[in-house]
Amino acid sequence: MSPRITLSDVLRMDEALLERIRDDRDLGRVMTLCCAVIAIGCAAYGFTLGMWRSDMQAVFAAIKLPAMMFGCVLLTAALDVVISGLLRAKVSGRQALLCSLLAMASMAAILGGLAPVSAWFVSHAPPPNGDATLAIAQWLLIAHVLVLATAGVVGVRQLYGALGKLVPDPAIARRVLWAWLLSHGVVGAQLSWIMRPFVGKPGLEVTFFRADAWDGTFFESVLSLIHISEPTRQA
């Protein structure tokens, strides 16, 4: 009988857990634990994303952040298997799904741990009704992005650790890692665009989804910002 996997084993990427992933056996409890951590950790931090704008925006963000994480995992699961096969890495569908869930769970654990700190800073920020409201919103957004990026780095390390156990050749494991990061990054960026707002812009109505949620793409918005800033640099 296999030893019982605990939450600590999942977050520490215990050797017994990695062996179980490699053998593709008894992974149901591991997936359940990962999903629980993602739901709780991301909901806690998501609440702090929207609490500066309003209590209702905080509730919306607490629902949408974990939903976005789960959506990214599910939408990229099949693609991850195809990519692995093309790169000569033998990774099953369940193994690929669990690797993504482990990375997301590590990220969510960091976010959940930092949620009280984030809530303290946001609660001490000037309210969204003064002359500097837009500047405050921009600084809060930058701070949240930095926190999410830092947690994402931890998730990437966990993902590479799992791939190292599944793919004996380090060079192939690195190629699979970068390919997976690209696919997850593209899907995650577009999901964040569709599911906006999270922080909420001052002056705009508090809403779960924007009316123009399906208009354009994340990448079009980035390109438009670059195009707008180009004349300023030339001037």
Side-chain angles (χ1 to χ4, degrees), residues 33-50:
L33 287 173
C34 288
C35 289
V37 173
I38 294 169
I40 296 171
C42 290
Y45 194 84
F47 189 88
T48 72
L49 282 175

Side-chain angles (χ1 to χ4, degrees), residues 10 15 30 32 43 47 55 79 86 98 104 122 125 127 130 145 153 191 193 196 206 211 221 228:
V10 171
E15 186 65 24
V30 181
T32 301
F47 189 88
D55 291 342
L79 180 58
L86 291 174
L98 186 54
M104 291 291 186
V122 173
V145 169
V153 170
L191 281 177
W193 174 263
R196 71 195 194 284
V206 174
S221 69
I228 290 172

Side-chain angles (χ1 to χ4, degrees), residues 84-116:
S84 301
L86 291 174
L87 295 176
R88 297 181 297 167
K90 295 181 179 179
V91 179
S92 71
R94 284 209 312 170
Q95 289 172 328
L97 179 61
L98 186 54
C99 285
S100 296
L101 286 174
L102 284 168
M104 291 291 186
S106 299
M107 180 178 178
I110 299 295
L111 294 177
L114 291 176

Side-chain angles (χ1 to χ4, degrees), residues 153-166:
V153 170
V154 176
V156 170
R157 291 190 62 182
Q158 296 290 70
L159 179 59
Y160 185 58
L163 280 174
K165 202 68 176 179
L166 295 175

Side-chain angles (χ1 to χ4, degrees), residues 28-78:
R29 175 174 171 78
V30 181
M31 289 186 178
T32 301
L33 287 173
C34 288
C35 289
V37 173
I38 294 169
I40 296 171
C42 290
Y45 194 84
F47 189 88
T48 72
L49 282 175
M51 64 181 291
W52 178 75
R53 181 67 180 85
S54 72
D55 291 342
M56 186 57 67
Q57 187 68 61
V59 173
F60 289 162
I63 296 171
K64 291 194 293 182
L65 187 60
M68 187 184 78
M69 297 297 184
F70 284 124
C72 184
V73 170
L74 293 175
L75 290 174
T76 56

